[in-house]
Amino acid sequence: MTITKLQNGDAVTLQVDGRVDTNTSPELQKAILEAFQSAKKLTLDLEKVVYVSSAGLRALLLGQKTASSKGASMELLHVAPTVKAVLDSVGFSKILTLR
């Protein structure tokens, strides 16, 4: 998995490419937490993500909780149908913002 960070003022976009699984989710979690040190708005562009494991879901949930605690926002862009199906099945589509 690779993560590319784009910053525009207090808005950060993380472009994620690859699988978000047990091995790679700590890297995503770290990138999310680091982004919220300067960002009021975080966008995760998941266009090139075709798989998210339970560890990846945990990283997304932590991001949402961090956003809420800081009065910030987090949204997911370009969510692949396979990933959206996972988010739907565990109820995360109701607590995460998908665009």
Side-chain angles (χ1 to χ4, degrees), residues 14-80:
L14 298 177
Q15 296 173 324
V16 185
D17 185 350
R19 294 170 55 93
V20 183
D21 57 25
T22 303
N23 296 324
T24 60
S25 64
E27 182 182 352
L28 178 59
Q29 181 175 314
K30 180 180 177 196
I32 289 170
L33 293 176
E34 285 177 356
F36 276 123
Q37 291 179 8
S38 63
K40 283 298 209 180
K41 178 180 179 184
L42 174 62
T43 302
L44 296 176
D45 186 340
L46 304 180
E47 182 174 15
K48 296 181 180 177
V49 174
V50 295
Y51 176 80
V52 176
S53 73
S54 60
L57 293 174
R58 188 169 41 253
L60 295 176
L61 183 60
L62 176 67
Q64 184 59 46
K65 287 183 175 187
T66 302
S68 295
S69 71
K70 292 182 169 276
S73 67
M74 183 179 90
E75 65 181 19
L76 310 181
L77 289 183
H78 306 123
V79 179

Side-chain angles (χ1 to χ4, degrees), residues 81-96:
T82 54
V83 174
K84 182 159 184 339
V86 172
L87 295 175
D88 290 344
S89 70
V90 296
F92 277 28
S93 295
K94 296 177 183 175
I95 58 173
L96 299 173

